[in-house]
Amino acid sequence: MKKILSLIITLSMVLSLCAVYTVAAENVIFSDSFEDGMGRWTLGNDYAKAGNAVIANDASDGKNSVYAKDDTQESTPNVFSPFIPAKPGGSYTVSADFKHDDAPNIRVYVRFTDSDNKDIANAGGSVSLTTNEWKNGSKTFVAPEGTVNIRLRIAGVVKNVGNGYVDNVKVVEGGSDGSGDIAAATPSAPATDTYGGFYDSFENGMDNWKYTNSKSTEENNKATTEKASDGKTSVLVIDESQETAYGFMTEKYPAKAGEAYTISGDIFNVEGVGAKLFLGFFGSDGQKIVSKSVGTSEVGKWTKVSMTEVAPEGTTSFVAYITGASKSVGKSYIDNVRVICGDGKTSGTPKAETKLDILNKSSIVLFVGSANALVNGQKTLIDKTNDKVIATIVDSRTLVPVRFIAENFGAEVGWDDLTRTVTLTLKDKTVKIVLDKAEIDINGSVTAIDVPAQSIEGRTMLPLRAFVENVMGKKIFWDARGLIVITDTDMLEASADKAVIDQLVETVK
């Protein structure tokens, strides 16, 4: 009797503890069960397009999964997830359900990317499982320094062959202890409250887009290799009507009221008003609640634009648009369209700007000996007709190209061949520079400089500090490797901003 009574008391205590202690909910930042197809994923190569990565009717739960067929040692199917916001030092557990019908070759690869969407070296890994029946595999990663996003890739191994199914891909912030061990478990149901965002560089065409109306045709709205912000491909929008707007739109992606959403992209306006990026928020009834747009008036160069909006009450989804304006005409190229979504903690507060974000709004970055430059975050050549025009060192003084810097900071530049004089017109000053003279005339006041103005490769060059500080009124950050950053205010500190400085060096040198 005492033993029975003791057992009852013990059982009561266990039950009471179960009532007090509950399991904390996972912080799921991305999941996809493929029940709605692969609309959120981007095909990574022609091999994948040929049908080697498709939706299948064999699933760990629900109806659908991805079936990846890797039957060559020269290539592998690639399908990429959207970019998933992450932060350096954060712990992220990636899991998926696997089933292989032969060699266990298909994996979920994990990539960590920086603010330019480039992979951070030696940062990723993969999640896989050896199984011929549905099982769940997971692995925990710690995001390295410089991480801005996670991107997943479903693929095989290049030197191996094998076919398999993948279902219920999920990323959870936190989770395991970071040991990287794969833990087998029963298949888990997909989360529904995930807001993973969207990204497209158009390197694989227009698979993620559809026309906004019947007048949008391939003649005036298409993917093209004529011009690109980076890579090889962008999209072209030719808006020839003042009655309607031509362009593209995505499918609806999950969104949450009260969260901040940032849409960004690169725009090259050829003529006219040009296309804009629109971000539209929709309710559960499928009706648009509101849409906002961002564009640029710049013509003849790539310009990065962005806009942050808080999803209004009633929002359940968002749509990204690339269109012209209904009351104007124009021609534009668009590249690298991206929507970064709230992470469940922003409570409607827009994402804080990083040092790199601020630099990319108004700066010129050069590297001694390099023909490359960054103008407001966009990579370009100092002289597109001559890659020998570079920042260089003469008599221990760094010389920089006058026209390139002056025009990109809004000055008008004139040249008098007879007197060999460059004239710069700024808001409050007129500057005259005569070749081979060690002086600069600013509003009639002559200032001596260490090294005379000289022509190198047909371009007028001046000492860096004398020109940038005295003439243009800008600030300079110098790194001993040869990095030159020109901004309106002091922005960088050598030790505190090492990661940003290293990234600029790698990009522009």
Side-chain angles (χ1 to χ4, degrees):
M1 185 67 181
K2 288 182 179 180
K3 289 183 179 180
I4 295 174
L5 183 59
S6 175
L7 181 61
I8 293 172
I9 293 171
T10 302
L11 181 60
S12 299
M13 292 176 65
V14 170
L15 291 174
S16 66
L17 287 172
C18 290
V20 173
Y21 297 104
T22 58
V23 178
E26 292 179 325
N27 185 15
V28 178
I29 60 174
F30 175 82
S31 75
D32 202 336
S33 63
F34 307 106
E35 294 305 297
D36 297 318
M38 293 171 64
R40 301 174 69 188
W41 297 70
T42 302
L43 296 172
N45 54 26
D46 290 337
Y47 189 65
K49 282 186 177 181
N52 290 56
V54 297
I55 289 295
N57 292 325
D58 188 342
S60 67
D61 58 18
K63 295 181 179 180
N64 294 339
S65 67
V66 170
Y67 181 66
K69 182 179 180 181
D70 188 357
D71 56 7
T72 175
Q73 294 185 348
E74 282 68 50
S75 184
T76 179
N78 284 298
V79 284
F80 289 92
S81 74
F83 286 87
I84 306 161
K87 52 195 175 187
S91 177
Y92 297 91
T93 299
V94 179
S95 65
D97 299 335
F98 295 87
K99 176 184 174 183
H100 299 287
D101 55 13
D102 51 13
N105 187 46
I106 305 302
R107 306 182 178 191
V108 175
Y109 289 84
V110 182
R111 294 181 171 186
F112 293 93
T113 66
D114 61 19
S115 58
D116 291 326
N117 302 326
K118 295 180 180 178
D119 291 352
I120 299 173
N122 302 318
S126 65
V127 181
S128 63
L129 206 62
T130 302
T131 177
N132 58 5
E133 60 183 23
W134 281 109
K135 289 185 180 179
N136 179 266
S138 66
K139 195 170 183 178
T140 300
F141 304 84
V142 176
E145 183 178 356
T147 294
V148 174
N149 296 294
I150 297 169
R151 202 178 194 196
L152 308 178
R153 179 171 69 102
I154 299 175
V157 180
V158 172
K159 296 299 182 182
N160 297 330
V161 295
N163 309 323
Y165 300 83
V166 180
D167 200 359
N168 292 333
V169 178
K170 182 165 64 172
V171 181
V172 177
E173 187 174 11
S176 181
D177 59 1
S179 64
D181 292 334
I182 297 174
T186 56
S188 56
T192 55
D193 286 341
T194 55
Y195 313 101
F198 174 85
Y199 174 78
D200 203 341
S201 63
F202 307 104
E203 295 303 300
N204 296 299
M206 300 294 297
D207 293 344
N208 296 320
W209 302 77
K210 58 185 179 181
Y211 292 134
T212 53
N213 56 50
S214 60
K215 293 187 177 181
S216 297
T217 67
E218 194 169 341
E219 293 181 3
N220 54 9
N221 297 267
K222 61 183 179 181
T224 177
T225 57
E226 296 171 359
K227 193 179 295 290
S229 172
D230 55 28
K232 296 180 180 179
T233 308
S234 66
V235 292
L236 173 66
V237 176
I238 301 175
D239 188 355
E240 301 173 315
S241 172
Q242 293 186 346
E243 281 70 48
T244 189
Y246 300 139
F248 312 97
M249 61 187 292
T250 67
E251 301 292 341
K252 292 185 176 71
Y253 290 88
K256 185 178 181 181
E259 297 292 342
Y261 291 77
T262 299
I263 186 169
S264 64
D266 303 328
I267 300 179
F268 188 107
N269 284 345
V270 178
E271 59 188 17
V273 173
K276 296 182 178 181
L277 301 180
F278 287 77
L279 182 61
F281 294 106
F282 289 75
S284 58
D285 58 359
Q287 298 300 307
K288 185 189 296 182
I289 300 173
V290 68
S291 68
K292 299 291 182 69
S293 68
V294 62
T296 176
S297 60
E298 296 281 353
V299 174
K301 70 175 185 179
W302 283 105
T303 303
K304 185 178 291 294
V305 301
S306 67
M307 171 189 69
T308 299
E309 292 293 328
V310 176
E313 184 177 354
T315 293
T316 59
S317 62
F318 75 80
V319 171
Y321 302 85
I322 303 172
T323 74
S326 59
K327 299 299 182 182
S328 59
V329 297
K331 177 180 177 181
S332 303
Y333 296 92
I334 314 289
D335 204 352
N336 294 328
V337 176
R338 181 179 184 184
V339 179
I340 298 176
C341 302
D343 59 6
K345 300 177 182 179
T346 54
S347 300
T349 303
K351 177 186 172 185
E353 287 186 314
T354 66
K355 278 275 182 77
L356 196 58
D357 292 332
I358 300 171
L359 276 172
N360 287 343
K361 287 184 176 180
S362 180
S363 67
I364 293 176
V365 181
L366 306 171
F367 193 86
V368 173
S370 174
N372 296 322
L374 296 177
V375 178
N376 300 336
Q378 298 298 311
K379 192 171 184 177
T380 185
L381 287 174
I382 295 172
D383 189 325
K384 294 183 179 179
T385 64
N386 185 357
D387 62 8
K388 293 182 180 179
V389 177
I390 59 175
T392 188
I393 295 177
V394 175
D395 295 337
S396 300
R397 292 290 183 270
T398 301
L399 302 186
V400 293
V402 170
R403 180 181 289 273
F404 177 78
I405 293 173
E407 287 186 337
N408 278 297
F409 277 126
E412 294 183 7
V413 181
W415 167 255
D416 188 324
D417 194 45
L418 183 64
T419 61
R420 304 177 73 230
T421 301
V422 176
T423 301
L424 308 181
T425 305
L426 294 91
K427 291 181 180 179
D428 57 349
K429 63 181 73 170
T430 299
V431 181
K432 294 185 181 296
I433 304 159
V434 181
L435 284 182
D436 300 324
K437 281 194 173 183
E439 61 183 36
I440 301 174
D441 182 325
I442 304 176
N443 290 339
S445 177
V446 177
T447 302
I449 56 179
D450 294 338
V451 178
Q454 50 198 278
S455 178
I456 301 177
E457 290 292 330
R459 292 291 179 261
T460 301
M461 309 286 283
L462 276 176
L464 171 64
R465 295 198 179 276
F467 174 53
V468 171
E469 293 181 342
N470 296 342
V471 175
M472 301 304 299
K474 304 295 182 180
K475 302 289 186 179
I476 298 169
F477 174 83
W478 169 267
D479 180 83
R481 288 168 287 184
L483 181 72
I484 303 165
V485 182
I486 305 170
T487 56
D488 289 317
T489 59
D490 289 319
M491 282 289 302
L492 297 172
E493 298 178 16
S495 57
D497 300 311
K498 183 179 183 303
V500 174
I501 295 164
D502 289 346
Q503 184 174 332
L504 291 173
V505 169
E506 289 301 313
T507 303
V508 77
K509 73 176 182 180

